[in-house]
């Protein structure tokens, strides 16, 4: 049975990974400083994990956490473009120096493989679609630069120190436990939470903006597949998405259909710097380590909406 470390375990993706890995029989240790994460995300599994409240910049705590670990799933970060614009230096600490700290501790501890939550933000706003891993990155925001620089550190640690690292570039992940209350949260979490409470969502632009919206189960599946594959993945970068794009208007209409929301949507001018379209080529992950889309957009929406309904029953009453 493998022993794994998840950084950012109290967050949306980290807590989902924890459930997936526990279900596979792994022994799970987690680190989080709770800056954006929430202990409620771990409520039902809290007694089954070794949870440590610590900052990934604390090398002593990370060294201890890596002791005896086979696989590291490094998810901790401040995952926000706007926050990185307001505070480039403050976010560089956790997003880049934090990654370096985790790499260093993993290397010293002799960890077998480290998986890293990279971001599609690395591609920037080049109009070319779909995005393939061989494209030249063109990060725009400090957040995108920090996440991309982390990828380069991973590749360096593989080449220089022989630590097996893999960067998974996530594209617009959504699902249960994503925080809908923050102004920085994902658009689907905001739409679902507002519409479940009978409140009007806002679309910036005419609604034709599109994204490769990816349900969380696909991310959990990708991480587990890449951790155990015997294919040569060390030092490589893979897109993790669905290979399909959905416009904001389509997403709104599907949520409306599932929730029974009877209100309208409001349109506001497009925001400066918003990327128009995003779509991944996922063939590399499919061919190298057997990644596949385990849950599509509609199924993901239905599960996410069900989760919000169960966790906030007042939402149903508002419909
Ligand atoms: N959600 C997406 O669509 C998406 C897309 C691309 C990449 N990512 C990446 O996936 C990862 C997880 O994102 P998420 O959506 O689950 O966000 P999240 O905010 O829900 O989770 C991040 C977790 O990291 C923890 N954390 C932050 N700084 C820390 C520090 N210094 N020390 C210890 N813990 C710290 C937070 O408390 C939180 O629990 C991030 O690295 C993010 O950049 C997410």
């Amino acid at each position: 049975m493998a022993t794994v470390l998840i950084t950012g375990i109290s967050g949306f993706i980290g807590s989902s990974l924890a459930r997936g890995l526990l279900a596979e029989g792994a022994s799970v240790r987690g680190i989080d400083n709770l800056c954006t994460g929430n202990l409620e995300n771990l409520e039902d599994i809290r007694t089954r994990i070794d949870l440590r409240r610590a900052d990934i910049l604390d090398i002593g705590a990370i060294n201890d956490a890596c002791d005896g670990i086979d696989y590291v799933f490094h998810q901790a970060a401040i995952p926000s473009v706007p926050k990185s614009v307001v505070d480039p230096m403050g976010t560089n600490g956790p997003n880049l120096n934090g990654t370096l700290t985790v790499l260093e501790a993993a290397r010293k501890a002799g960890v077998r493989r480290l998986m890293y939550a990279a971001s599609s933000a690395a591609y920037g706003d080049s109009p070319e679609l779909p995005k393939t891993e061989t494209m030249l990155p063109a990060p725009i925001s400090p957040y995108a630069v920090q996440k991309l620089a982390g990828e380069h550190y991973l590749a360096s640690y593989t080449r220089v120190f022989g630590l097996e690292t893999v960067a998974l570039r996530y594209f617009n992940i959504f699902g249960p436990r994503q925080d809908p209350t923050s102004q920085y949260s994902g658009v689907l979490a905001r739409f679902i939470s507002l519409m479940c409470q009978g409140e009007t969502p806002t679309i910036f632009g005419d609604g034709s903006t599109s994204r490769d919206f990816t349900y969380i189960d696909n991310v959990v599946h990708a991480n587990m597949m890449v951790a155990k594959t015997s294919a040569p993945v060390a030092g490589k970068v893979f897109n993790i998405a669905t290979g399909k794009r959905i416009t904001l208007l389509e997403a709104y209409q599907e949520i409306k259909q599932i929730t029974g929301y009877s209100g309208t949507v409001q349109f506001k001018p497009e925001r400066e710097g918003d990327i128009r379209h995003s779509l991944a080529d996922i063939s590399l992950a499919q061919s190298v380590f057997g990644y596949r889309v385990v849950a599509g957009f509609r199924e993901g929406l239905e599960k996410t909406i069900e989760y919000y309904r169960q966790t906030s029953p007042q939402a149903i009453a508002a419909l």
Side-chain angles (χ1 to χ4, degrees), residues 95-169:
N95 290 356
L96 183 54
N97 296 341
T99 297
L100 181 57
T101 309
V102 173
L103 280 167
E104 187 56 15
R107 168 180 85 84
K108 284 191 287 199
V111 159
R112 270 199 246 166
R113 190 170 288 169
L114 177 145
M115 275 51 64
Y116 167 65
S119 172
S120 61
Y123 292 111
D125 63 357
S126 75
E128 212 177 328
L129 295 178
K131 307 295 185 200
T132 58
E133 294 86 344
T134 50
M135 280 177 180
L136 199 62
I140 299 169
S141 65
Y143 168 76
V145 172
Q146 293 155 5
K147 295 301 290 191
L148 178 63
E151 289 185 20
H152 289 300
Y153 263 131
L154 258 73
S156 166
Y157 265 65
T158 296
R159 293 198 61 170
V160 177
F161 302 111
L163 173 68
E164 289 208 11
T165 65
V166 190
L168 300 178
R169 281 185 188 159

Side-chain angles (χ1 to χ4, degrees), residues 9-157:
I9 193 168
S10 309
F12 159 50
I13 297 175
S15 61
S16 307
L17 266 173
R19 279 182 188 77
L21 288 159
L22 282 171
E24 289 271 301
S27 174
V28 175
R29 187 177 296 164
I31 280 252
D32 207 297
N33 70 352
L34 296 178
C35 70
T36 61
N38 186 344
L39 283 180
E40 278 174 23
N41 288 340
L42 301 171
E43 215 167 20
D44 53 321
I45 53 169
R46 177 65 193 85
T47 55
R48 297 168 62 202
I49 55 181
D50 170 5
L51 177 63
R52 301 175 181 198
R53 188 164 180 171
D55 197 297
I56 50 165
L57 287 162
D58 178 347
I59 185 71
I62 300 299
N63 281 339
D64 283 350
C66 280
D67 188 33
I69 292 293
D70 300 305
Y71 302 102
V72 174
F73 297 86
H74 174 40
Q75 312 298 307
I78 307 289
S80 164
V81 168
K83 262 191 199 169
S84 78
V85 172
V86 171
D87 186 7
M89 291 179 72
T91 50
N92 194 72
N95 290 356
L96 183 54
N97 296 341
T99 297
L100 181 57
T101 309
V102 173
L103 280 167
E104 187 56 15
R107 168 180 85 84
K108 284 191 287 199
V111 159
R112 270 199 246 166
R113 190 170 288 169
L114 177 145
M115 275 51 64
Y116 167 65
S119 172
S120 61
Y123 292 111
D125 63 357
S126 75
E128 212 177 328
L129 295 178
K131 307 295 185 200
T132 58
E133 294 86 344
T134 50
M135 280 177 180
L136 199 62
I140 299 169
S141 65
Y143 168 76
V145 172
Q146 293 155 5
K147 295 301 290 191
L148 178 63
E151 289 185 20
H152 289 300
Y153 263 131
L154 258 73
S156 166
Y157 265 65

